[in-house]
Amino acid sequence: MLSTIQPPRYLSRFPLRGRTKSRSFHILSSAQPVTKTCFAADQSQILSIRDSLLNRHLSAVELTHSYLDRLKQTEPHINCFLHVSDPDKVLKQAQDIDDKIKRNEEVGPLAGVLVAIKDNICTADMPSTGGSYILEGYRPPFDATAVKRLKDLGAIVVGKTNLDEFGMGSTTEASAFKVTANPWDLSRVPGGSSGGSAASVSARQCVVSLGSDTGGSVRQPASFCGVVGLKPTYGRVSRFGLMAYASSLDVIGCFGSSVADTGILLHAISGHDSLDATSSKREVPDFTSQFTYASSLKSRPLEGLRVGLIRETVDAGVDSGVKSAIEGAAAHLEQLGCVLKEVSLLSFSLGLPAYYILASSESSSNLSRYDGVRYGNQASSDELNALYEESRAKGFGSEVKMRILMGTYALSAGYYDAYYKRAQQVRTIIRKSFKAALDENDILISPAAPSAAYKIGEKKNDPLAMYAGDIMTVNVNLAGLPALVLPCGFVEGGAVGLPVGLQIIGAAFDEFAKHKCLLNGFFERNL
Amino acid sequence: MGSRALLMLTNFNFKTTVSSFGSASNPFFLIKNNLRTRNFSTKTRSSLQPPDLPGLAETARISLAPNEVEEFAPKIGQVIDWFGQLQAVDLDNVEPAIRADTEGDNLREDAPQTFENK
């Protein structure tokens, strides 16, 4: 079943107790609140955990032990984490949850759920380095709003995951500390920049995780690691506590092993935050109530849903294996009743240079705060400018330095109009073209990346080749739209094949309204 | 940004840039000096100069070792050339979008609010 695909068994010899492996599926109730579950919740890890805990089938401590054991076992091979929480602290939190349940007290909807957080999201009691030497050892004095909301709902933060430095990269090789491996094939990249978060969910080291998406950094690793990745609408989730890379493009995104889990996680972290002026005041719909019963579905449950396949994303330059997986998924959608059309977005290819101009420029400004004066590593020097220059030279990796320099160039007097302003104009064009396409279609689909995971070290020396891999994802960030990546097939490679993800793009703030049916459709499919 | 103002003053005349930097305490100053004069070109102001890495590094407050300059210059040059393709697009009458602007107005009411005296 798609929602429970996971890497080969040799990586996880301790199957999680309480997780059912039945091949039939049941869809979540639409009317019932999350606390009352009366169905086999194997569609959602979070709900099945909640079910087991409240019915006393499993204790939070046992659950935590099994995840922590698996983490300890798999971590030397995949290296997802930059910091793992002290196991005693984690077990104590689990024990507190068990005690509350014993006393029949309310526990939050995410009680007992182990979450991994990408290391560019600030957590008060753990180091947050952003994957960079310049912030080595930095312990923020506050939690990011998204983290605070998760903790308030009872989630247990199991650690901080590896990433490309400050989110700049597509492979997680640009981390200052370690390279994460793809659990499906240890010689391949997990994608980036949220590679650690994707790999940790893929290897079942945690239930769900948070990442950040500026140009595809949640969706591409989700595709490479075979998990579900969700990028919400810009403004849906507060960015307070997320180390800024490109402020007009960054969002915090969710990873889970099923669409239901990512929906529950998104619901937990969404909403207006007065600490983030760009966060939307719009009502957050209860995403979890939009999933529907299997039994109430007709044989063509997605009847009438208008799906647009973006033609430019299945043209030349895309792996044939990926193309056939996407075409297979599209055909399956048609079987389920969708009306499939090909859509052409003429400005599609402009998005990539526009994105890199905007992202480099904004990052050159955002990363100017890292000067070594107060936090992190400081180079010794007698003169202030030299202190800045040496600390930054030693603290930043080469990818970050290059992007800062490119951004500085693009924003220089005389060049601003030629690059940054033009890129912003291209952003307007892309926004309009997506809006037009989404007026005609309910959702748009495309691959999440032109290929499956490639080998570690393959794209290291050629920046343009690496940037080219982001073509499918950056336009969505420029337009600020939500997108979901679902595993939809495999290509040749590795021991058992490499996963490929289907990207589903919706209208702004419409994260799940149209997707609710899709998750049923895909889960019917047998791999 | 003060650094942008500096570039405007220099008007791409690298010789004056060099002389306007008083402090020579930076050990890379001499190397940057040489590379800068080597990159000096007589192109007119309106055409886009290729990236002057040592100058950019100064603006960005990152010191670059000479081998880094050699390593980065071709890669950055390649990417900047690739950025150049936006020059060919017809963008007359297109409003620049500051951000995705999925919301429209996100401003609070224009009414006074009292805050804690922190």
Side-chain angles (χ1 to χ4, degrees):
Chain A
M1 189 181 321
L2 265 166
S3 69
T4 56
I5 60 169
Q6 56 171 312
R9 273 285 154 187
Y10 66 81
L11 275 183
S12 48
R13 271 178 294 163
F14 297 110
L16 179 60
R17 267 195 285 155
R19 240 175 83 217
T20 58
K21 289 191 219 150
S22 77
R23 289 240 146 216
S24 65
F25 71 98
H26 303 262
I27 304 298
L28 311 170
S29 144
S30 57
Q32 295 170 357
V34 176
T35 42
K36 279 202 272 177
T37 59
C38 53
F39 48 87
D42 55 347
Q43 277 309 82
S44 163
Q45 274 293 86
I46 295 179
L47 290 173
S48 92
I49 287 174
R50 190 172 175 74
D51 197 31
S52 312
L53 290 179
L54 291 178
N55 293 330
R56 322 288 165 92
H57 294 153
L58 193 62
S59 77
V61 171
E62 287 170 335
L63 183 75
T64 305
H65 264 303
S66 84
Y67 272 108
L68 287 179
D69 287 343
R70 189 165 36 231
L71 199 160
K72 203 158 64 160
Q73 243 212 321
T74 52
E75 190 53 15
H77 305 287
I78 48 182
N79 287 312
C80 294
F81 284 89
L82 288 177
H83 174 87
V84 180
S85 301
D86 180 11
D88 292 330
K89 278 201 190 140
V90 170
L91 287 167
K92 170 143 193 332
Q93 288 176 48
Q95 186 62 56
D96 289 343
I97 291 172
D98 281 334
D99 293 340
K100 272 192 179 164
I101 293 177
K102 273 203 199 87
R103 297 193 298 257
N104 283 316
E105 278 172 29
E106 273 287 314
V107 285
L110 293 178
V113 172
L114 289 125
V115 183
I117 311 276
K118 187 176 178 185
D119 208 18
N120 63 354
I121 298 175
C122 290
T123 44
D125 44 1
M126 292 181 227
S128 303
T129 62
S132 178
Y133 282 131
I134 207 165
L135 282 181
E136 195 175 12
Y138 171 58
R139 280 184 186 249
F142 61 95
D143 272 330
T145 300
V147 173
K148 183 170 173 305
R149 287 180 179 170
L150 288 181
K151 285 184 176 174
D152 288 343
L153 294 176
I156 301 174
V157 178
V158 76
K160 307 300 293 297
T161 56
N162 198 17
L163 67 158
D164 282 307
E165 199 174 341
F166 290 117
M168 300 192 197
S170 311
T171 59
T172 314
E173 293 170 309
S175 167
F177 303 108
K178 48 174 89 170
V179 177
T180 301
N182 191 323
W184 288 86
D185 178 344
L186 299 177
S187 67
R188 290 178 191 258
V189 297
S193 55
S194 313
S197 292
S200 66
V201 172
S202 179
R204 302 295 188 265
Q205 294 178 329
C206 58
V207 184
V208 285
S209 66
L210 287 187
S212 73
D213 191 313
T214 305
S217 298
V218 159
R219 292 162 285 151
Q220 188 242 41
S223 173
F224 281 12
C225 292
V227 295
V228 177
L230 173 66
K231 172 209 174 289
T233 312
Y234 180 84
R236 173 64 87 192
V237 179
S238 167
R239 287 184 297 115
F240 180 75
L242 171 66
M243 293 180 194
Y245 159 22
S247 312
S248 70
L249 301 164
D250 287 341
V251 291
I252 291 181
C254 315
F255 288 103
S257 50
S258 65
V259 178
D261 280 347
T262 52
I264 295 170
L265 194 63
L266 180 68
H267 185 68
I269 60 176
S270 300
H272 179 67
D273 182 16
S274 57
L275 295 169
D276 175 3
T278 57
S279 72
S280 162
K281 294 198 174 89
R282 227 178 253 235
E283 274 294 306
V284 180
D286 184 4
F287 302 120
T288 54
S289 68
Q290 289 171 347
F291 306 140
T292 50
Y293 267 126
S295 52
S296 70
L297 296 173
K298 311 184 296 262
S299 65
R300 284 165 60 93
L302 302 182
E303 191 70 52
L305 193 72
R306 300 167 298 167
V307 175
L309 173 61
I310 302 176
R311 177 140 45 93
E312 285 79 7
T313 61
V314 286
D315 272 346
V318 180
D319 251 20
S320 53
V322 170
K323 253 193 254 194
S324 48
I326 301 301
E327 282 162 3
H332 186 67
L333 284 173
E334 274 187 307
Q335 271 176 18
L336 294 171
C338 292
V339 177
L340 186 73
K341 260 187 4 204
E342 250 195 13
V343 169
S344 179
L345 296 174
L346 294 168
S347 51
F348 198 78
S349 60
L350 289 178
L352 201 57
Y355 165 79
Y356 273 101
I357 293 173
L358 292 172
S360 306
S361 305
E362 294 184 19
S363 71
S364 75
S365 175
N366 278 324
L367 268 66
S368 62
R369 72 192 63 181
Y370 302 116
D371 53 17
V373 170
R374 189 189 293 268
Y375 303 112
N377 283 327
Q378 183 185 95
S380 61
S381 172
D382 292 333
E383 198 265 319
L384 187 61
N385 278 339
L387 179 98
Y388 291 154
E389 288 171 355
E390 288 302 305
S391 303
R392 286 159 68 82
K394 292 200 180 114
F396 288 146
S398 41
E399 181 63 31
V400 168
K401 281 184 195 162
M402 283 207 291
R403 293 211 195 179
I404 291 177
L405 292 170
M406 292 193 284
T408 310
Y409 176 75
L411 289 175
S412 312
Y415 301 142
Y416 174 87
D417 284 347
Y419 293 113
Y420 192 73
K421 182 153 171 259
R422 289 190 87 90
Q424 289 190 314
Q425 288 172 309
V426 169
R427 175 165 32 200
T428 307
I429 295 181
I430 289 177
R431 250 182 56 212
K432 288 192 179 148
S433 76
F434 266 93
K435 188 161 183 315
L438 284 167
D439 285 338
E440 306 264 304
N441 299 278
D442 290 317
I443 57 170
L444 300 173
I445 60 173
S446 81
S451 70
Y454 38 85
K455 296 269 184 194
I456 292 175
E458 204 178 294
K459 307 256 163 124
K460 227 171 167 184
N461 284 317
D462 189 354
L464 281 183
M466 197 171 69
Y467 297 171
D470 293 336
I471 181 70
M472 314 283 179
T473 47
V474 293
N475 286 296
V476 176
N477 291 86
L478 289 171
L481 299 173
L484 180 76
V485 166
L486 282 185
C488 73
F490 285 88
V491 298
E492 288 288 310
V496 292
L498 299 169
V500 168
L502 176 75
Q503 174 176 229
I504 301 167
I505 305 165
F509 295 106
D510 204 15
E511 277 86 359
F512 279 98
K514 305 291 180 342
H515 304 164
K516 63 182 176 196
C517 303
L518 281 164
L519 73 92
N520 311 339
F522 275 97
F523 292 169
E524 280 175 17
R525 204 182 152 130
N526 292 314
L527 274 178
Chain B
M1 284 170 22
S3 49
R4 278 174 68 182
L6 188 64
L7 280 168
M8 270 186 341
L9 285 174
T10 58
N11 196 20
F12 306 117
N13 186 339
F14 295 117
K15 288 206 175 111
T16 46
T17 317
V18 165
S19 60
S20 69
F21 280 110
S23 87
S25 56
N26 188 328
F28 291 119
F29 179 80
L30 286 171
I31 300 165
K32 275 192 254 175
N33 196 348
N34 293 333
L35 285 167
R36 215 179 274 144
T37 46
R38 244 193 282 145
N39 282 338
F40 180 73
S41 92
T42 50
K43 283 194 189 149
T44 57
R45 193 187 175 173
S46 57
S47 72
L48 297 170
Q49 304 278 12
D52 160 37
L53 233 53
L56 291 175
E58 179 93 27
T59 307
R61 296 284 186 265
I62 301 179
S63 67
L64 287 183
N67 68 306
E68 277 183 318
V69 176
E70 265 176 48
E71 195 196 315
F72 291 168
K75 289 183 186 174
I76 293 182
Q78 218 189 359
V79 177
I80 302 281
D81 284 340
W82 176 65
F83 286 168
Q85 65 184 276
L86 290 191
Q87 309 300 325
V89 183
D90 176 21
L91 290 170
D92 292 333
N93 303 320
V94 180
E95 270 298 299
I98 299 176
R99 70 177 80 88
D101 212 17
T102 42
E103 271 270 89
D105 275 331
N106 197 14
L107 305 170
R108 71 175 172 90
E109 207 188 294
D110 186 14
Q113 270 186 22
T114 334
F115 294 89
E116 268 176 64
N117 190 9
K118 282 195 185 168

